[in-house]
Amino acid sequence: MVRLGGIFVLIIMTASCGGSGDSSTPTSPSPGPTPPTTVNVTPAFIGNGFSLFRHEQNLVGQSVSLAAIATDSTRFTQVSWEQIEGPQVAILANHTQVIGFDAIEVGNYQFRFTANNDQGQSIAQTIQVDVQQSDQQIVNVRLDHAAAETSKASMRVDVAEDSTITAIDWTQTAGPPVENIQEQDNFLFFDTPAVDGDSVIEFETTVTFSDGRTAKDKSFVVVMDMNINSNGFFPNSSNRIVTPDTFAYKADSPYAEALESCIYNNMVDSSCSFNQLPLIGQELESPDVDDIMDRVLVSHTWMGERFEQYLRQSVAAPDMLQLLRATTAIVIAYDVRPSFYWSATGAIYLDANNFWVTPQERDTLNDQPDFRSDFGNELQFFIPWRYVKNNDYYFSSSDYPIDQRLTKTFADMEASITWLMYHELGHANDFFPPSKWQSISRTTSPLRYINDNEPNSTSFSNLFPLQSTELSNLAQVSFAGVAATESEKALTPQDVALHFEPDNAAAYYSYSTIREDYAILFERFMMLHRMGVSADVAVVPSDSDNFSVIWGQRDRISESALQSRVKAVVEQVLPDLDVAEIQLALPAALSMTPGLGWRENLNLGQENSVLQSKDGNSKAKQDLWMEYQHHFPSIPAIK
């Protein structure tokens, strides 16, 4: 067994898009113990070229899991699970090698597993699970799933709301040992091992409560043997192994094959031509929702359903239909974190954490923290930001605690998606602006085109440069992981405010690259114009109890010094908007009150402006820091 221990390693969890995260300072992860000899999980059923797995004990209130692996050096090429008997359950990953669901009733649950493998064999087998009642304390590890070898994975243990945990002990009881183990609160993060064939990992999780009682649960992770091109776009340029379980949301899309081969897999090593996968705007002047959904690649069906719901119901949908013309594809997957736009493929890649509505949908996500989580923790300041409407948070992920199993409203889903879409599509229209779509040769590729043509943000930055070299250098520390110099560590929040206030950036992240400066200006303008949502930004000390504001402002883009910058960007991205006229109607910038806390400055323009959250001041830390769920993978060599 690999004993992972009961320690708690604190890491900043980057906010979901439109949400917020924990501001605590991270510590180094535990290196984990020396792995022992591998013990294999015993299959519940062994067939010709495959094995099926289940846990011996399954209790009401816990997650039940079934797993399948290919054997005899074969690989599955297609998988499906179907429930054929028992209390009805939702299976949100029936196309993967592991399914998990919450058992809410006693009974016999039967499922039919079917698959094809790369040897041309078809497989079909029925397996059943008996769920029993129990009067013991229940803990629930979510969610059993499949993961590619050498990829990042996570598990989470949930307990009843009224329970107080004193220790969590994660033990790997079977399977090839996992690597790079980190434990944080109720989460386990790890890297899956390299394998020579599909393998099953089993964990046993023991939770100790304040009254001395303990409870256990077991879980599976199937590690899939993969074909991986070490020179491929994602393993090489993006330094990630991605899930193989993505598929075109619309199976009958004329672009289904191109989506699956060109956009998000571990083998693609060249940029597909526009003949294979054109920009939407190269083909359609006014695409509708169905046209857009032809370009969607997902890891789970529900992600495509939520995206389609958003495009049909959101106030921002007409904008999105226009802006999406600058893309070749939209990827929504459980392992995309953070979100990004990539000019090498012409696609946007969206973290599915922004799209979940039901707690069951949320269970299918990978909880791995953003890789930038501990950048800049030696600096003496934060420059937090948030979106605000009617003097309250526009959306906060802390309104939906994981353990409360809440269902998200459409309004909150819309809020978590909209700013992210404006941001990523600002990037897409920067690299492929509307004025260029019809002149781009179909024989070239996104990568070849961007290597020969500068995005609009380059000329924009020459005409409207940011001035502060100090903030540009600090942004490399906070967002790119560059080591802080001693002089940077010595800068006080007051020093930083003196650099930020007179310059013309809308946000601290604007200093990370000229591309981000461009996209943020577009995003902030559209959120204020279309959604009536204001953006706050402030400089606060990193060691303050209430994050006392040194300097802060709401609707900074309405400052006269920024308006010409905003106008130049928006007119390039959405040339049909009368930006100058719109700017006259936008609210003026408002100053925060220095000395008051970040949350106390939420209700601007009113006396006694402290706004209590639903659970009091405990929300202050959670709502301090909103960080862009975005990065640019490095641009590969032209292929």
Side-chain angles (χ1 to χ4, degrees):
M1 290 186 209
V2 180
R3 184 159 300 280
L4 308 181
I7 61 172
F8 298 90
V9 179
L10 188 60
I11 301 171
I12 293 177
M13 290 294 289
T14 301
S16 66
C17 304
S20 55
D22 191 330
S23 62
S24 305
T25 302
T27 59
S28 299
S30 166
T34 302
T37 304
T38 297
V39 176
N40 292 326
V41 183
T42 302
F45 178 87
I46 299 175
N48 182 20
F50 72 102
S51 295
L52 300 181
F53 300 81
R54 68 181 171 215
H55 294 297
E56 292 182 6
Q57 178 178 269
N58 297 278
L59 304 177
V60 170
Q62 289 187 323
S63 292
V64 174
S65 58
L66 295 170
I69 64 171
T71 57
D72 301 331
S73 300
T74 61
R75 289 189 178 94
F76 291 136
T77 58
Q78 188 174 2
V79 165
S80 178
W81 298 85
E82 178 187 9
Q83 184 179 4
I84 58 177
E85 190 173 310
Q88 193 65 36
V89 298
I91 306 174
L92 298 182
N94 68 334
H95 63 295
T96 71
Q97 291 179 228
V98 182
I99 59 170
F101 60 90
D102 285 0
I104 58 175
E105 296 181 37
V106 170
N108 176 271
Y109 298 70
Q110 291 191 24
F111 300 85
R112 186 168 183 81
F113 171 76
T114 58
N116 297 322
N117 65 24
D118 57 6
Q119 300 299 311
Q121 297 172 307
S122 295
I123 295 163
Q125 180 61 42
T126 299
I127 187 169
Q128 69 179 35
V129 176
D130 291 317
V131 175
Q132 302 173 341
Q133 189 68 52
S134 174
D135 58 2
Q136 69 187 54
Q137 178 78 33
I138 294 294
V139 297
N140 198 335
V141 176
R142 294 185 172 96
L143 188 65
D144 307 64
H145 60 280
E149 61 178 322
T150 68
S151 66
K152 296 186 178 299
S154 65
M155 303 295 288
R156 181 185 84 246
V157 60
D158 289 348
V159 301
E161 290 182 52
D162 58 354
S163 302
T164 301
I165 297 174
T166 58
I168 300 175
D169 184 81
W170 297 87
T171 302
Q172 184 180 345
T173 55
V178 300
E179 301 173 356
N180 297 326
I181 301 157
Q182 301 175 27
E183 300 178 46
Q184 177 199 326
D185 299 334
N186 292 28
F187 295 92
L188 176 70
F189 304 117
F190 57 93
D191 292 351
T192 59
V195 294
D196 293 327
D198 290 353
S199 302
V200 180
I201 290 171
E202 183 182 61
F203 293 104
E204 182 175 75
T205 308
T206 303
V207 177
T208 303
F209 298 95
S210 56
D211 60 4
R213 290 179 301 160
T214 62
K216 299 177 184 289
D217 194 17
K218 289 186 176 182
S219 54
F220 289 139
V221 175
V222 165
V223 181
M224 294 176 286
D225 183 24
M226 299 288 299
N227 288 322
I228 297 173
N229 177 3
S230 60
N231 293 317
F233 277 1
F234 289 94
N236 187 15
S237 300
S238 192
N239 193 30
R240 65 170 70 192
I241 303 299
V242 304
T243 175
D245 289 325
T246 55
F247 55 94
Y249 174 65
K250 292 175 65 175
D252 60 351
S253 165
Y255 303 102
E257 183 178 348
L259 289 172
E260 293 173 3
S261 62
C262 294
I263 298 299
Y264 194 60
N265 62 67
N266 296 304
M267 295 300 293
V268 60
D269 62 359
S270 61
S271 185
C272 291
S273 75
F274 290 115
N275 273 327
Q276 293 170 273
L277 195 60
L279 296 173
I280 295 171
Q282 287 180 290
E283 292 203 320
L284 298 168
E285 183 177 348
S286 301
D288 60 22
V289 175
D290 290 332
D291 296 322
I292 299 301
M293 299 312 296
D294 276 339
R295 303 298 191 97
V296 174
L297 187 76
V298 295
S299 64
H300 294 72
T301 299
W302 69 261
M303 298 171 188
E305 292 171 345
R306 295 304 180 195
F307 185 58
E308 184 170 3
Q309 180 187 10
Y310 172 79
L311 291 181
R312 295 193 185 279
Q313 297 181 24
S314 173
V315 173
D319 292 333
M320 300 308 169
L321 294 179
Q322 291 188 67
L323 294 167
L324 282 161
R325 294 178 297 174
T327 66
T328 58
I330 303 95
V331 179
I332 310 173
Y334 80 89
D335 61 346
V336 172
R337 176 161 295 188
S339 302
F340 60 98
Y341 165 74
W342 206 7
S343 54
T345 60
I348 57 172
Y349 298 78
L350 304 176
D351 184 345
N353 193 38
N354 299 283
F355 292 85
W356 71 268
V357 169
T358 71
Q360 291 77 21
E361 291 168 355
R362 197 242 173 272
D363 290 340
T364 64
L365 303 178
N366 190 335
D367 289 299
Q368 278 283 345
D370 190 322
F371 66 87
R372 305 163 300 180
S373 296
D374 59 354
F375 291 170
N377 60 9
E378 294 180 301
L379 301 176
Q380 295 185 44
F381 68 91
F382 287 145
I383 305 182
W385 67 277
R386 64 191 170 201
Y387 275 120
V388 174
K389 190 167 188 176
N390 299 325
N391 281 326
D392 200 358
Y393 283 89
Y394 179 49
F395 172 73
S396 173
S397 59
S398 60
D399 288 338
Y400 293 92
I402 293 175
D403 58 350
Q404 292 186 22
R405 311 291 291 166
L406 301 176
T407 296
K408 192 185 295 181
T409 65
F410 175 80
D412 281 346
M413 182 185 77
E414 179 185 43
S416 68
I417 295 171
T418 301
W419 75 268
L420 173 68
M421 291 289 291
Y422 279 132
H423 186 88
E424 302 302 348
L425 293 174
H427 285 306
N429 284 270
D430 176 18
F431 281 83
F432 295 101
S435 60
K436 301 295 177 104
W437 297 336
Q438 297 309 316
S439 64
I440 299 174
S441 170
R442 297 292 187 95
T443 61
T444 193
S445 69
L447 182 54
R448 287 189 177 276
Y449 179 84
I450 63 101
N451 274 281
D452 293 335
N453 297 272
E454 290 280 8
N456 281 342
S457 54
T458 300
S459 58
F460 169 79
S461 68
N462 292 331
L463 292 171
F464 301 97
L466 296 176
Q467 301 299 320
S468 176
T469 302
E470 292 82 0
L471 286 170
S472 294
N473 292 336
L474 287 167
Q476 297 311 303
V477 175
S478 296
F479 303 111
V482 174
T485 65
E486 291 305 313
S487 61
E488 288 169 340
K489 294 176 188 177
L491 287 171
T492 67
Q494 290 80 3
D495 296 329
V496 173
L498 290 174
H499 288 295
F500 193 92
E501 181 180 7
D503 207 356
N504 297 324
Y508 181 33
Y509 197 50
S510 303
Y511 291 96
S512 61
T513 70
I514 60 176
R515 317 302 179 207
E516 297 302 343
D517 181 29
Y518 189 94
I520 289 172
L521 289 169
F522 176 71
E523 168 208 326
R524 295 283 168 92
F525 174 86
M526 294 305 298
M527 289 298 292
L528 188 56
H529 163 53
R530 187 68 69 203
M531 309 302 290
V533 175
S534 297
D536 285 355
V537 62
V539 180
V540 304
S542 58
D543 60 353
S544 169
D545 289 337
N546 69 338
F547 308 108
S548 178
V549 169
I550 303 302
W551 168 90
Q553 200 169 39
R554 178 167 296 170
D555 293 325
R556 183 167 168 80
I557 63 164
S558 292
E559 283 278 17
S560 57
L562 274 73
Q563 285 190 332
S564 58
R565 305 184 84 238
V566 172
K567 183 173 181 290
V569 169
V570 178
E571 287 180 340
Q572 289 180 337
V573 177
L574 283 176
D576 291 340
L577 288 183
D578 188 338
V579 181
E581 182 177 351
I582 293 169
Q583 286 179 318
L584 292 174
L586 294 180
L590 290 175
S591 295
M592 293 185 182
T593 303
L596 287 181
W598 170 247
R599 183 160 182 82
E600 292 173 317
N601 268 290
L602 183 59
N603 200 356
L604 294 186
Q606 299 183 26
E607 295 184 8
N608 302 319
S609 60
V610 178
L611 180 66
Q612 293 295 324
S613 64
K614 295 172 185 176
D615 53 355
N617 289 330
S618 64
K619 195 174 178 182
K621 278 193 175 183
Q622 292 176 317
D623 286 334
L624 171 74
W625 185 251
M626 289 180 64
E627 187 172 355
Y628 276 88
Q629 286 258 9
H630 173 88
H631 80 293
F632 274 110
S634 60
I635 301 299
I638 298 177
K639 287 187 181 179

